[in-house]
């Protein structure tokens, strides 16, 4: 079992819809969570980070964290074709001071 | 502000040659990370430094890989001798302090070993 798991997709949504990306983690010591966007051939770009249970909003992006259920999600409202990319979930665990990346979910926003 | 700067952007070399990748972290960031990304294995953390000191190198695949950080503004990742299976994109990232803070990535070095 991988420490951070994501559905590899591809996930396709129409332009203007809400895209929902999900991530689960196995290490209960995980306390910090990050979402990165990676365009093909480019480097990962930080979108959001969340440390506390609940929702955190930044523009069209909302990160949601539920530590009891060990999942973290990213919602993208009013999806645009430029949001088409791979989204990577990452988690930091203070159990052994470890950092894990998921394998990413490919998102395509259809015009 | 300048981001993380990596060089070279592309490197093509023959098996057995020494390869050196370079990284300049964001000024003021105390932690530096080296990653490798492949289709098969995704993003793997190879090693990270805190205040120029290697903290965890458990991700370094073999003794052929070594990394140094002689000062706060420069780090190298060296592969000697290189093998075709080392072909990947290598990223350097930095954060203000440690693994629990957001990391900012450089543009990466695309390495091809023939």
């Amino acid at each position: 079992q991988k420490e951070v798991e994501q559905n590899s997709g591809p996930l396709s949504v129409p332009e203007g819809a809400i895209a929902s990306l999900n991530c689960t983690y196995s290490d209960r010591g995980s306390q910090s969570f990050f979402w990165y966007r990676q365009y093909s051939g480019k480097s990962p770009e930080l979108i959001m980070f969340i440390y506390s249970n609940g929702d955190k909003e930044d523009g069209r992006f909302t990160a949601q964290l539920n530590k009891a259920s060990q999942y973290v999600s990213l919602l993208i409202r009013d999806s645009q074709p430029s949001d088409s990319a791979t989204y990577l979930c990452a988690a930091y665990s203070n159990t052994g001071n470890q950092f894990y990346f998921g394998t990413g979910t490919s998102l395509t926003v259809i015009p | 502000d300048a981001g993380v700067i990596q060089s070279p952007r592309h490197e093509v070399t023959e098996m057995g040659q020494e390869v050196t990748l370079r990284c300049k972290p964001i000024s003021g960031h105390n932690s530096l990370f080296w990653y490798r990304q492949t289709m098969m294995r995704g993003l793997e953390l190879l090693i990270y430094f805190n205040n120029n000191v290697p903290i965890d190198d458990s991700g370094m695949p073999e003794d052929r890989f070594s990394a140094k950080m002689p000062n706060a503004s420069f780090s190298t990742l060296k592969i000697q001798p290189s093998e075709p299976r080392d072909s990947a994109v290598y990223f350097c990232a930095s954060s203000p302090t440690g693994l629990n803070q957001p990391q900012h990535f450089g543009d990466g070095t695309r390495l091809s070993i023939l």
Side-chain angles (χ1 to χ4, degrees), chain B:
Chain B
D1 289 341
V4 176
I5 299 173
Q6 292 186 245
S7 65
R9 292 293 308 277
H10 303 273
E11 176 87 12
V12 180
T13 192
E14 292 187 348
M15 181 175 65
Q17 297 298 306
E18 178 179 291
V19 173
T20 300
L21 311 181
R22 297 173 174 80
C23 176
K24 175 180 170 57
I26 292 173
S27 178
H29 280 193
N30 294 320
S31 297
L32 181 141
F33 313 88
W34 282 102
Y35 288 89
R36 178 173 67 177
Q37 187 173 40
T38 61
M39 289 293 292
M40 289 295 294
R41 300 174 69 92
L43 259 175
E44 302 174 276
L45 178 61
L46 301 178
I47 185 172
Y48 83 93
F49 295 83
N50 208 36
N51 294 320
N52 313 338
V53 176
I55 302 301
D56 185 354
D57 65 354
S58 60
M60 297 286 261
E62 300 174 35
D63 291 345
R64 299 184 295 106
F65 287 70
S66 62
K68 294 182 179 180
M69 192 165 186
N71 58 62
S73 59
F74 182 67
S75 176
T76 59
L77 178 68
K78 189 172 293 187
I79 308 172
Q80 167 64 18
S82 58
E83 297 184 5
R85 58 195 170 113
D86 301 331
S87 298
V89 181
Y90 290 80
F91 290 107
C92 176
S94 70
S95 80
T97 302
L99 288 167
N100 65 335
Q101 294 190 344
Q103 299 175 32
H104 300 270
F105 283 73
D107 289 337
T109 295
R110 185 171 297 274
L111 177 64
S112 297
I113 308 296
L114 305 177

